[in-house]
Amino acid sequence: MNKKIALLPGDGIGPEVTDSAVKVITTVAESFNMSLEFKEALIGGASFEKYDSPLTDETLQTCYNSDAVFLGAVGGPKWESLPHHLKPEAALLKLRKELGLFANIRPAKIYNALINSSTLKKEVLEGTDFIVLRELTGGIYFGQPRGFDKDRGWNTMEYSYGEVERIARMAFKLAAERRNKITSVDKANVLEVSQFWRNIVHEVHKDFPEVELNNMYVDNAAMQIVRNPKQFDVLLTSNLFGDILSDIAGMITGSLGMLPSASIGNKYALYEPVHGSAPDIAGQGKSNPLAAISSAAMMFNYSFHMSKASELMEESIERTLAAGYRTPDISSEGSILVSTEQMTTCVIENFNEIFNEQALGVFTL
Ligand code: IPM
Ligand code: MG
């Protein structure tokens, strides 16, 4: 099997966590006898510096020619005052739209070894395992008209039938492979677009009667995530609500530095850590590579259909944490403080160890 990966390291800590992910990806690919081709391209501020544009046609082309896109992070104070369409964030939004990445999967799963590093109580967290499925190419992020003048600012929250239907269908399919439960988040008590969303989700539900469907207002959902996160399996949300709720869900894992994501469309897919570019710690070896590595694990699962490889990668992360290794963002008393590079090496060593154990297991059976 040969796969092409477009690598977009981006800004801030983006390049260093991408580098970590590439090292792990390469190890995994070798173990599973697959060949990979990486093609690197600029995005965000790094691209703006060179081409006066945060996303060039050339970078887009590299993505179109890939089996999967891996992105580090974009943004930084240097480009904050640029007009909207030149900001690094605009590159990300355009990429999502151009590649048709309508579904964003953000798992909120607690790693056992980190249960004490969250600001939430252990009893609240134990057993938490849900995913936020966020619609990614519609809603208020893209609705027209939009703009502002001297007296007013405006955006439009808008969804078409087809946009809601396809994300709802994906939610039901995902739930059917998990614990058969969907919580669809909206603000149907106030917003017409939410009532529309709710109606369509109920329509789609008829095709998946075995899945339990609940509706929840977004304000209540925000509260329920920190009150009792165990109640959720698949949280289905629109673009803006998912943006907000996935950051809240991020704190369940103890640090945003732990949260991976996959953005999936009919033809393309992009994997990126949920965290930002953290310019304050860039280049100091302090960044946590685990969200990037975990995003790579999602890539093996969703794009390469190698669920075994993906599981082993997750297990390698779990084992590394269990051994006490921590980057500064997740460090606590008694843990072993390590750099980005050391953390990456640990994950790779654990992967090799687990892989060999499993291989031996197979042969001795
Ligand atoms: C995210 C980010 C982006 C978003 C920004 C950087 C445009 O917050 O991926 O959650 O709002 O979608
Ligand atoms: Mg966000």
Side-chain angles (χ1 to χ4, degrees), residues 277-324:
S277 60
D280 52 321
I281 57 161
Q284 301 169 34
K286 287 185 185 164
S287 60
N288 183 347
L290 296 181
I293 295 170
S294 183
S295 302
M298 292 184 88
M299 177 172 79
F300 275 92
N301 188 19
Y302 291 108
S303 281
F304 307 158
H305 307 291
M306 293 169 63
S307 57
K308 188 73 200 164
S310 178
E311 272 167 37
L312 295 190
M313 291 168 83
E314 279 300 326
E315 234 176 284
S316 316
I317 295 175
E318 184 84 61
R319 213 178 263 202
T320 303
L321 292 169

Side-chain angles (χ1 to χ4, degrees), residues 49-352:
E49 292 301 312
K50 191 152 177 209
Y51 301 111
D52 287 325
S53 157
L55 180 67
T56 61
D57 286 344
E58 202 191 326
T59 294
L60 258 178
Q61 207 50 54
T62 304
C63 297
Y64 287 137
N65 291 334
S66 72
D67 294 297
V69 181
F70 191 92
L71 188 141
V74 294
K78 194 167 173 195
W79 308 287
E80 252 163 31
S81 50
L82 286 171
H84 248 57
H85 69 287
L86 293 177
K87 284 194 173 106
E89 289 79 357
L92 194 55
L93 297 177
K94 184 165 173 205
L95 199 58
R96 290 170 179 169
K97 196 72 175 173
E98 293 286 329
L99 299 179
L101 309 173
F102 65 87
N104 183 224
I105 304 177
R106 298 185 167 182
K109 200 177 127 204
I110 182 82
Y111 287 98
N112 287 330
L114 288 184
I115 202 142
N116 292 316
S117 23
S118 173
T119 47
L120 299 175
K121 284 197 198 107
K122 188 175 170 196
E123 307 79 75
V124 174
L125 289 175
E126 253 162 359
T128 295
D129 177 8
F130 67 89
I131 57 177
V132 177
L133 180 67
R134 167 186 176 195
E135 198 291 326
L136 203 59
T137 50
I140 198 166
Y141 271 58
F142 294 95
Q144 295 288 353
R146 57 196 297 153
F148 66 92
D149 59 25
K150 212 159 57 3
D151 307 311
R152 277 181 349 118
W154 59 95
N155 284 91
T156 306
M157 195 184 271
E158 181 186 2
Y159 270 111
S160 70
Y161 192 100
E163 283 174 328
V164 182
E165 195 201 357
R166 69 182 174 182
I167 193 73
R169 225 163 255 292
M170 182 177 270
F172 281 102
K173 283 187 191 146
L174 278 174
E177 290 166 12
R178 293 172 51 94
R179 300 193 308 277
N180 274 316
K181 202 176 156 193
I182 293 185
T183 309
S184 174
V185 175
D186 61 44
K187 189 73 189 172
N189 49 346
V190 178
L191 304 173
E192 281 76 5
V193 59
S194 275
Q195 186 60 57
F196 179 73
W197 171 282
R198 193 178 272 214
N199 294 346
I200 297 167
V201 174
H202 280 285
E203 275 294 307
V204 177
H205 186 202
K206 291 184 187 147
D207 293 340
F208 300 86
E210 68 287 0
V211 177
E212 179 191 332
L213 169 67
N214 297 296
N215 301 289
M216 198 177 269
Y217 296 137
V218 61
D219 45 353
N220 185 24
M223 191 258 281
Q224 295 295 340
I225 289 175
V226 286
R227 194 187 73 88
N228 176 20
K230 282 193 264 286
Q231 67 183 291
F232 299 118
D233 180 19
V234 174
L235 261 180
L236 168 63
T237 78
S238 62
N239 204 343
L240 180 65
F241 296 163
D243 177 48
I244 300 164
L245 295 184
S246 62
D247 264 30
I248 304 180
M251 280 321 290
I252 285 177
T253 55
S255 162
L256 263 191
M258 298 297 304
L259 260 199
S261 82
S263 303
I264 292 176
N266 290 329
K267 203 155 169 221
Y268 301 102
L270 178 146
Y271 301 86
E272 60 174 321
V274 172
H275 62 70
S277 60
D280 52 321
I281 57 161
Q284 301 169 34
K286 287 185 185 164
S287 60
N288 183 347
L290 296 181
I293 295 170
S294 183
S295 302
M298 292 184 88
M299 177 172 79
F300 275 92
N301 188 19
Y302 291 108
S303 281
F304 307 158
H305 307 291
M306 293 169 63
S307 57
K308 188 73 200 164
S310 178
E311 272 167 37
L312 295 190
M313 291 168 83
E314 279 300 326
E315 234 176 284
S316 316
I317 295 175
E318 184 84 61
R319 213 178 263 202
T320 303
L321 292 169
Y325 297 109
R326 303 280 188 276
T327 42
D329 59 312
I330 48 172
S331 76
S332 58
E333 233 182 86
S335 63
I336 310 160
L337 196 62
V338 289
S339 67
T340 312
E341 220 181 307
Q342 288 167 319
M343 187 68 126
T344 309
T345 308
C346 285
V347 174
I348 291 175
E349 282 171 6
N350 279 318
F351 178 84
N352 287 331

